[in-house]
Structure formats: C-alpha cells, structure tokens
Amino acid sequence: MKKKLLSTLLCGVLAASMLTGCGEVETSDDTGSEAVEESADDTAEEAEETESADATEESSEVEPDAVTTEGDPNGTHMEMWSFVEAHNTFYAKMLEKWNEENPDRTIEITFTTYPYGDMHQKLLMSLQTGEGAPDICDVEMGQVPNVYEGLDTWLYPLDEAMSPYADDMLASRLAAYQGSDGQQYGAPFHVGATVMYYNMARLEEAGITQEDVDAVVTWDDYTALGEKYLEAIGNEEGKYFTSVDTGGTDWLWIAMAEYGDDWTGGFDGEANVQLDSVKNMLTMQQEWLNSGFAEVSPDGHIDLEAGFQNILDGNIVSFPKAMWYMSRFINYMPEEEGNWYITKCPVFEEGQNCSVGIGGTGTVVTQQSVDTALAADFLCYAKMSPEGETMIWNDLGFDVCNTSLWSDDSFAHDESNQYNTFFRNYPYDVLNDISDQIGTIMTVKISPTINEYVCNTTLNEVLEEGMDVDEALQELQDAVDLEQ
Amino acid sequence: MKTKNFLYSQKTAPYIFALPFILSFLIFWVYPLVSAFIMSFQDIGAITVDWVGFKNYGKLLKDKVFHTAMINSFEYMVFTCALLIPFPMLYAVLMDGNLVKAKGVWKALLYLPALTSVVISGTLFRLMFSEYKTGQMNVLLTMLGLPAIKWLKTKWTSEIALLMLCCWRWTGVNTLYFMSGLKSIDKSLYESADIDGATGWQKFKYITIPLIKPTTIYVLTISIYAGLAMFLESFMLWAGNDSPKNIGLTIVGYLYKRGIQKDDMGYACTVGVVLLLIALVINFIQLWLNGSFKKEER
C-alpha cells in the first residue's frame, strides 16, 4: 500500500514537473515580452496613428499595460481593449456620461490597454476561435483588413446604432471602415486630413509672408517658394525646405488623392501601383533631392523622435502631414508654440482635391459581446455624438468626423482648447476650407502588401539610390501581382 | 489488484517514466509539425479554409522577398559557422594550455555576453550602429578620419553589425563546449607525443582536432540550425521586421511576418516546412560528410 502511494506521488511529481517545464518554456520566451515592453513605449508614443508600415512592433507575449474597471457595477458588464491608454481614458469619461443619460441601460466596462502588436494578434486569435474576444475593441487602420475580413461573422454592424449621427459624419471617412459587404463595422476617431505645416517664424526671417504662403496653389508654386526661402538663407548646409519619407506613404497618398486615384483598386478591383500620380510625386521628389531642396527624413519619416528633432532644429520648415500631427507639436515640440501655420496642401493641377484621410482607429463591436446592440449604441454615442466629438477634440486633439461641429464657433474657436491656440490659425478653419476636397484611399486586403513593399524597398530605391521611377514601380507591381 | 500489477510491472514502468517526455513530444512537437504540414497546403482565411494543393509552394518559388530572406539566412549561417567554430576552438585550446594566465577571468568575460538578453543586446547594438554621427561606431570612424556610415541601411555594413552581435554573444558558449571536449582527451597522448618530439602545431593537428571531432560536429550542427533559424537578433537590430530593401529579413522573420503580421497562416506554414527541409538537408549532408552515419569504429 505504501509503495502504491509512493508511486502515485512520484507520478504526480513527474506530471507536475512536466507542467512546470511547460510553464518555463513560456517564461523563457521572456525575450519576447521584453520586446513588447520596448516596443510598447514606442507605440504608446506613436499614439494611435501608426500607419501599417511603421506599425511593425509585434511580439508573442501578452502583458497588459493597464487594466481599469469603470462605470455602474450593477449595469451590463463588458470588456474593452485598446492599444493606447489615452483612448481608454476617453472611453471611460464617455461611459460616465452615458450612464448618467441612460439610467435604464447602464454599463460597466473593464478597460485593458495592450501593446499594439499584441492586442491585434490576441483579437484576431479570439475572433478566429470564437472565444475570448472583448465586447468592444480598437482596431488600427493598418490592421483593419485583417480584422474586418471576418465581416458579420466576427463583427456586429454599426449601421443601425450610428443612424442618429450618420448624416453629420464625413461620408468618406465612414467608408474607410466599411467591410467588403458594404456594412459599417468601425467607428472612426478622426478624419486625419492631410494639411501643410509651415514654420512661419523661420519663413518670416527669410522675408516670406503669410500671403506668400497662401498664394501657393500648385507644387510648382511650392517649389518656387522653397527656392526663394533657401536662397534667402544663403543655401545654408543642412537646411532644407522639406523632407521626404522612405518609411511612410503619406506623400504618395496625397498624390493619389489629388488625381482621384487609388492604387488598391478598392474591394473588387485589381491593385495597380503604376499610376501617373505616384510617378509624378516620386519624380518630383527625386528632383528635389538632387537640387538640395529636400532631404530624406532621418529614420525614414517625420513622426519619430529624429523627425521632431529635425523640426526643432529648423532643418526643415514645411511638410505635409495629417491633422493629428498637431498633438506631436503639443507633446514633443511645445517650444514651437506660435511659430507654425497650417494651410492646405499644394496640388499638381489647379482644381484638384488637396487632401486625404490618413491613419485612424476603427473601433468595432464583436459578435461575442454580451449585448451587441447596447455595445454598439454606446460606442456610436462615444465616438460620433457631438458630446463625444467635443471630448475627442479637447482631450485627444483629433480632427473629428462630425462635420456639423466644424463651423460651430464654440467648438472650433474655443480658446480654452490648447490646439486652437498653439498654431497661428484655427485648425478647423483650414478643415472647413477643404471639407469637400478630402479623398479616401481604401484599406483592403492588398494594402499591407503594397505599403510594406513601398516602405521597405521602392522608396529606398527611388529616394536613397536614385533608381528610375518606372523601373521601381514595375518591380513593386510584380511583387503586388504575386499576391492577387 | 489490477492497477497494482500495472504499476509494478517491469514492462510498463519505463513507459510511465518516459510518459512526460512522450506526451510533451507528441503535443508540442509532433502535432504542430503535422498540422503545419497540412496547413501548408491550405489557404486559411478569416472564416474559410480552402485546400489549394501546391499553390503556396508555387508562390514561394516566385516570391522575391522569400528569396531575399533565404539568401540572408544562408549567408548568416555560413558566416557564423566560419567564425564561431575556429575561434572558440582556438580560445579553448589556449585556455587549456599553460600560455594563458587568469583563466577564470577570461572564461567569465567570454561567457558573460551569453547571459544577457538578445533584446537588450540587440537594442544596444542598434544604438551603437545608428546612422547618426553620435553613434559609437560612427564616432570611431570619425576619430579615424573616415566619413560616417549609414550602418543599418546597406547590406554589407549591416551584415557586419549582425555578425558582431552574434560573435560577441556566442563565442563564450562555443568555447565552453570545446573546453569540455578537450577535457575528455587523454593527457597521456600529449605526453607520448612530447616524448616523440612533436611540435605544438603537430599535437594540435594530429591529436586535438581528431579527438575533439564529436564536439565540433555537435557545435556545427547547432550552429547551422541556429544560423538558419535566426530571428530575434535582426528583429531587435532594426526595431522590427522591416529593414530597407529587406536586408535584415530572415526566413523565420518572413514566417512571422506572413503568419502573425499578415495573418496568412497557410503561406507561413509553407515557409516553415521549407525551412525545416532546408535545415534537414544541410545537416544530413554535413553529418554524412563527417562520417557520423558510419558504424562506430571500435
């Protein structure tokens, strides 16, 4: 009997040691989770608008950065994930308002913030297996094609819940978060409209006035203005008018939107990257680099530490970027207050559209939610109602999609909002000016492939090595064709 | 009564004791392997799973990015083997002899990098090889009067960075393997060689190298595998899986990119299966050339 006990015990120990062995395998994978923490900092800094191209920080271990539970403990309990803590803070504030206004439909939400890569990976896994997904989840633009691929099997369409606000929302922005079946799956934070940022303080030192800047309509005008500036500062070494990106596709998106092109071809079309718009932009940038008009952005694009430093050093005095870049000024370049002027982007030919929506977060409600309709109602209230939009503008500094607010004086000219006072003009005045000129480039299944190849290879070939534009685009097209 | 018989049976006991290993082997090794093999013939979408036959393999043949990744991994493997076998062997011999003082210190110094995490060392190397004038390597170049280099943007300079990281980290470990190999060589062989008037080089060539061969084969085998399976070093050096013109992309990096970043598990499994085949073939050739499959000479 004793022996039997002993052998059972031994077996137990063996089994336990085996299991701890497994556990150790996981923890020895720690290198992974350190990668997460490392990259978490990056992604948190990059806030939400990491384009798919630079949103590469991924890892295998999942360790939430922050978990909080807010709302009415007696209400319906839900789970919500995001990759930016500021988003969750915003939702928590909106949750309080929702519970006040809807005492019969109160909610309690546990908010979890994960690093960028982990969150999307975990979400995809849980959607695929049909288990463990949160009720509501943020999905970054670059990951939209992966997550929205499951259509209404995975996600709950928001069309009904957003109907009270839909008319005021910018249609082109909503379209960016629709599935291939035409249903609305994501709620947007912002337009992400591209505009031109000018360092007016430095331009004025070179004798260029705001009127001169306003007079710029085409890229030719822009080039002429820049040459005037560079001449005025005596073609100083290390100083340029702008910087072009090898690690981001913003410039190319602007070019496509101006010509009304879209290299993805939409949901049904074939992707075609050999577009005149893209060629014109790349050829122009090559000329700029050759003539010393522009430099290649340090580290590849301007939304990084090196880019901020480059701006602070006055190495470049203008660049096109989405409206959400305003928050980078507030957070990383506060000493630039009062120096910068925002206006619309130049175009290739007069009369073209001058802007395109870039980046974004399409928050979704999953079919696994305990109460899909309630979750959708809350989400649309938080992200689309005037109350929600006001908070988005004040707290997060995004150019909101609810167009009815754009011309609302108490909103767009509110002097207590730091974004309204930081720049030489009111950001929403610019937005109002271009409201009917904001194009959309679709984000579909092929998009990550195009973005990745462009940022890793094509732009490096064209801008760093001076390769022929047609040749580089042919190579890109071949790579894209392999996937479709 | 029956359970008692079962538990005390001489026949079953070995299996029971081996059970933990067998189970973990089946669950964590055989099952994923078989399933990856099956998945490599499928197109795995969000909701649908389609059987596509050899389509993924056909695509792999045309996929230039995969070819780049394969060349990168292969080059890395060759260079690491060329650097991480002769030098550690030399260090081990030096430390086994009487030429070196304070052996413990050297051993510790050589081994120390292996204890650091690749994540941290990769990040440090990234900073050291940064393209700015303030990066350590560029400071060194400037001191020598040379122009600063964009280290991680061109192929051969980034290769140097990767190999330096690898050698810095693994030389100590391989030295340790060789030292343990040297310990098993019978000292009387060297003594009799001395009596016969052999030089140091002759002793090394005719005694050390042949007798240390099992260790060399072992180190070579794991180095080949480690070289082909390298991922984290390049992932950390470029702060992600994207490098200019894919100069830092490895086969495993590509597998990760396809499977996890692009959610295309079918194609990623194809990449994995091909990696397994390549590693198997290379190692079989290597073991065969070394005569490991011949019957032990007694």
Side-chain angles (χ1 to χ4, degrees):
Chain A
M1 208 52 211
K2 238 184 183 176
K3 273 190 181 170
K4 189 179 170 185
L5 192 77
L6 192 72
S7 65
T8 325
L9 206 72
L10 270 175
C11 288
V13 169
L14 267 178
S17 69
M18 179 180 114
L19 288 175
T20 42
C22 303
E24 254 157 31
V25 170
E26 257 175 61
T27 39
S28 74
D29 221 347
D30 238 353
T31 39
S33 78
E34 278 162 24
V36 177
E37 276 157 29
E38 225 271 322
S39 61
D41 290 353
D42 280 18
T43 29
E45 270 164 29
E46 297 225 45
E48 71 142 356
E49 286 76 23
T50 27
E51 276 169 66
S52 59
D54 35 282
T56 48
E57 287 100 311
E58 307 267 347
S59 211
S60 51
E61 287 288 303
V62 177
E63 195 101 350
D65 289 347
V67 184
T68 51
T69 302
E70 308 276 346
D72 178 9
N74 302 319
T76 315
H77 185 83
M78 294 189 185
E79 290 278 338
M80 174 155 197
W81 295 350
S82 180
F83 50 92
V84 179
E85 203 172 346
H87 290 183
N88 277 339
T89 317
F90 159 77
Y91 291 125
K93 279 192 190 173
M94 287 311 292
L95 179 66
E96 230 168 83
K97 286 196 178 192
W98 166 270
N99 283 344
E100 267 168 35
E101 286 177 30
N102 303 280
D104 51 331
R105 299 179 77 196
T106 54
I107 311 174
E108 183 193 45
I109 300 185
T110 301
F111 296 98
T112 313
T113 312
Y114 289 108
Y116 174 91
D118 291 339
M119 196 214 74
H120 290 101
Q121 217 168 297
K122 210 166 140 73
L123 175 68
L124 275 172
M125 284 295 163
S126 58
L127 288 171
Q128 238 152 17
T129 52
E131 213 174 293
D135 299 86
I136 310 174
C137 191
D138 272 353
V139 179
E140 199 272 331
M141 189 53 124
Q143 293 285 340
V144 159
N146 291 339
V147 177
Y148 289 24
E149 202 191 339
L151 299 176
D152 52 9
T153 318
W154 284 3
L155 310 173
Y156 179 77
L158 303 176
D159 298 80
E160 204 185 309
M162 72 171 187
S163 55
Y165 323 108
D167 290 342
D168 289 332
M169 300 296 281
L170 191 72
S172 69
R173 210 52 201 158
L174 287 180
Y177 297 112
Q178 279 166 1
S180 54
D181 57 359
Q183 298 199 82
Q184 189 73 37
Y185 290 109
F189 259 124
H190 61 58
V191 184
T194 50
V195 286
M196 206 76 191
Y197 293 81
Y198 286 99
N199 189 336
M200 236 22 254
R202 281 185 187 261
L203 287 179
E204 275 163 1
E205 278 172 30
I208 291 167
T209 61
Q210 199 157 308
E211 284 73 43
D212 294 335
V213 172
D214 283 333
V216 170
V217 179
T218 64
W219 287 109
D220 289 336
D221 300 341
Y222 177 77
T223 313
L225 183 77
E227 277 161 4
K228 194 174 151 194
Y229 162 77
L230 291 173
E231 208 170 300
I233 60 165
N235 290 314
E236 199 181 320
E237 206 196 328
K239 301 284 179 205
Y240 304 89
F241 196 55
T242 189
S243 70
V244 296
D245 303 341
T246 51
T249 54
D250 292 8
W251 286 89
L252 304 181
W253 276 41
I254 293 169
M256 282 190 282
E258 294 188 349
Y259 282 93
D261 286 339
D262 182 350
W263 59 15
T264 65
F267 283 116
D268 310 315
E270 290 263 292
N272 172 25
V273 296
Q274 291 166 303
L275 302 167
D276 284 337
S277 48
V278 177
K279 278 179 205 168
N280 288 348
M281 181 53 88
L282 289 175
T283 313
M284 182 172 78
Q285 292 188 332
Q286 257 184 348
E287 283 164 16
W288 284 352
L289 290 170
N290 291 337
S291 67
F293 178 90
E295 65 169 334
V296 173
S297 307
D299 282 352
H301 66 97
I302 204 162
D303 194 12
L304 292 171
E305 292 288 329
F308 305 146
Q309 195 55 47
N310 211 30
I311 291 169
L312 285 172
D313 293 344
N315 293 341
I316 59 167
V317 290
S318 75
F319 59 89
K321 199 74 196 173
M323 291 279 262
W324 47 253
Y325 197 80
M326 292 186 294
S327 66
R328 307 300 192 270
F329 276 99
I330 304 263
N331 295 330
Y332 301 101
M333 301 173 264
E335 51 273 64
E336 289 290 323
E337 181 162 6
N339 290 347
W340 289 76
Y341 177 62
I342 301 175
T343 186
K344 56 183 173 185
C345 273
V347 291
F348 282 94
E349 285 158 31
E350 256 179 88
Q352 286 178 329
N353 283 346
C354 68
S355 186
V356 60
I358 284 181
T361 304
T363 316
V364 298
V365 172
T366 68
Q367 289 288 9
Q368 294 174 37
S369 170
V370 283
D371 188 341
T372 46
L374 178 60
D377 283 344
F378 165 67
L379 176 62
C380 291
Y381 168 78
K383 289 188 88 170
M384 298 188 192
S385 70
E387 296 93 317
E389 298 280 61
T390 309
M391 199 175 282
I392 290 177
W393 173 229
N394 289 336
D395 287 8
L396 301 171
F398 296 149
D399 46 340
V400 299
C401 303
N402 194 325
T403 50
S404 69
L405 292 166
W406 293 5
S407 45
D408 182 346
D409 219 35
S410 64
F411 176 86
H413 295 168
D414 177 9
E415 290 290 331
S416 67
N417 179 307
Q418 55 180 345
Y419 295 94
N420 277 336
T421 53
F422 191 92
F423 299 93
R424 293 215 170 173
N425 52 341
Y426 290 115
Y428 276 95
D429 289 354
V430 183
L431 206 54
N432 261 324
D433 206 27
I434 60 172
S435 61
D436 55 345
Q437 299 187 40
I438 304 169
T440 304
I441 307 296
M442 297 299 286
T443 302
V444 295
K445 206 168 172 225
I446 195 76
S447 304
T449 307
I450 304 180
N451 282 350
E452 187 194 313
Y453 204 89
V454 169
C455 295
N456 282 353
T457 307
T458 311
L459 288 170
N460 274 303
E461 285 174 345
V462 173
L463 302 176
E464 289 275 12
E465 296 169 9
M467 189 180 186
D468 181 64
V469 174
D470 287 316
E471 217 175 292
L473 288 180
Q474 182 61 51
E475 196 190 313
L476 168 64
Q477 184 69 44
D478 291 343
V480 170
D481 282 341
L482 193 68
E483 299 293 319
Q484 57 183 8
Chain B
M1 204 56 200
K2 262 194 173 169
T3 43
K4 199 172 178 181
N5 280 343
F6 177 73
L7 282 170
Y8 291 107
S9 147
Q10 297 250 344
K11 277 183 190 159
T12 52
Y15 295 102
I16 292 175
F17 281 105
L19 196 63
F21 168 73
I22 293 172
L23 276 182
S24 62
F25 179 75
L26 288 177
I27 297 170
F28 296 112
W29 210 88
V30 175
Y31 165 69
L33 186 71
V34 171
S35 136
F37 192 70
I38 295 170
M39 279 161 80
S40 73
F41 293 100
Q42 293 172 332
D43 179 16
I44 295 165
I47 311 157
T48 53
V49 174
D50 297 318
W51 190 264
V52 293
F54 282 94
K55 197 175 143 224
N56 287 337
Y57 289 90
K59 193 167 139 189
L60 212 54
L61 283 177
K62 288 185 279 176
D63 191 339
K64 282 192 188 139
V65 181
F66 175 68
H67 300 162
T68 313
M70 218 159 80
I71 293 168
N72 289 343
S73 287
F74 200 77
E75 281 176 354
Y76 178 80
M77 187 263 289
V78 171
F79 283 126
T80 48
C81 288
L83 289 170
L84 280 177
I85 290 176
F87 288 101
M89 199 193 277
L90 185 73
Y91 297 148
V93 171
L94 283 177
M95 258 179 282
D96 203 46
N98 297 323
L99 286 166
V100 181
K101 298 263 174 282
K103 287 174 192 162
V105 177
W106 292 114
K107 277 185 218 169
L109 276 179
L110 272 175
Y111 192 75
L112 212 57
L115 299 174
T116 60
S117 129
V118 186
V119 175
I120 293 165
S121 45
T123 311
L124 283 176
F125 270 70
R126 178 167 81 233
L127 298 174
M128 273 167 60
F129 284 93
S130 100
E131 61 186 80
Y132 306 116
K133 287 190 187 116
T134 47
Q136 243 115 22
M137 286 299 154
N138 278 339
V139 170
L140 278 180
L141 285 183
T142 326
M143 274 163 65
L144 295 171
L146 298 165
I149 293 180
K150 287 184 177 180
W151 286 96
L152 300 179
K153 278 194 172 169
T154 46
K155 172 96 187 178
W156 70 274
T157 47
S158 62
E159 195 88 34
I160 291 176
L162 264 181
L163 288 173
M164 275 181 73
L165 171 58
C166 180
C167 289
W168 173 75
R169 216 161 166 268
W170 293 112
T171 302
V173 178
N174 285 3
T175 309
L176 213 65
Y177 285 135
F178 282 115
M179 268 158 56
S180 68
L182 287 175
K183 290 268 180 278
S184 65
I185 299 177
D186 194 347
K187 292 281 179 258
S188 60
L189 287 172
Y190 291 106
E191 280 164 23
S192 55
D194 278 335
I195 294 168
D196 288 345
T199 60
W201 170 248
Q202 282 170 328
K203 278 190 282 178
F204 178 69
K205 195 175 167 193
Y206 296 112
I207 301 175
T208 312
I209 291 194
L211 286 178
I212 211 173
K213 198 170 146 194
T215 313
T216 316
I217 292 173
Y218 172 71
V219 173
L220 186 63
T221 312
I222 57 166
S223 296
I224 287 176
Y225 170 72
L228 285 175
M230 189 270 283
F231 163 61
L232 200 55
E233 281 88 347
S234 111
F235 191 84
M236 291 320 298
L237 206 55
W238 277 276
N241 219 344
D242 290 294
S243 49
K245 297 185 79 182
N246 293 315
I247 48 172
L249 190 69
T250 65
I251 302 183
V252 178
Y254 193 57
L255 187 154
Y256 181 77
K257 173 174 274 183
R258 283 293 177 162
I260 308 294
Q261 287 172 293
K262 284 193 175 173
D263 198 30
D264 188 358
M265 282 295 176
Y267 194 56
C269 285
T270 316
V271 175
V273 169
V274 170
L275 171 65
L276 177 72
L277 289 179
I278 296 171
L280 276 180
V281 167
I282 293 178
N283 268 326
F284 266 115
I285 293 175
Q286 178 262 122
L287 292 172
W288 178 68
L289 285 177
N290 280 319
S292 299
F293 295 130
K294 287 179 198 154
K295 277 195 177 164
E296 288 270 324
E297 292 159 36
R298 295 198 183 244

